Amino acid sequence: AHELSEETGLYLSSEGAKKYEVESGDIVSVSANGYNIKLKVLIDNQISGTIGYIPTFDKSIKTDKLFDTSRYSVANLRKV
């Protein structure tokens, strides 16, 4: 369970970070389904494109509220 010791936040590719004008370590506000959460941006060099992801294993972050009936959701992203 090495994931439990890793940082949790919004994972983006370098391309995604450039598109959204954020850098690793920035704090962003992610809004979806009437819920808003602040997360740290983390760059994942193993993904490409502009789709980001938020891990669900960290129980201290209420990520389930960002999603409705699917594990995918369209969200708004704003740098804090």
Side-chain angles (χ1 to χ4, degrees):
H2 69 281
E3 291 88 358
L4 296 176
S5 65
E6 293 180 8
E7 284 186 284
T8 301
L10 171 64
Y11 285 85
L12 294 170
S13 66
S14 295
E15 180 183 359
K18 184 177 180 179
K19 175 184 177 182
Y20 298 111
E21 299 178 352
V22 295
E23 297 179 5
S24 183
D26 286 349
I27 303 298
V28 294
S29 173
V30 180
S31 302
N33 297 317
Y35 183 69
N36 185 333
I37 189 171
K38 291 180 182 172
L39 297 168
K40 184 178 192 178
V41 173
L42 301 164
I43 303 301
D44 185 336
N45 294 322
Q46 296 182 353
I47 62 172
S48 61
T50 58
I51 296 173
Y53 70 91
I54 301 168
T56 58
F57 61 81
D58 188 339
K59 300 301 180 197
S60 68
I61 300 174
K62 304 292 185 205
T63 57
D64 58 323
K65 293 183 178 187
L66 293 172
F67 305 94
D68 191 15
T69 59
S70 172
R71 64 184 182 151
Y72 302 101
S73 187
V74 175
N76 292 312
L77 180 68
R78 181 179 55 87
K79 187 174 176 180
V80 176

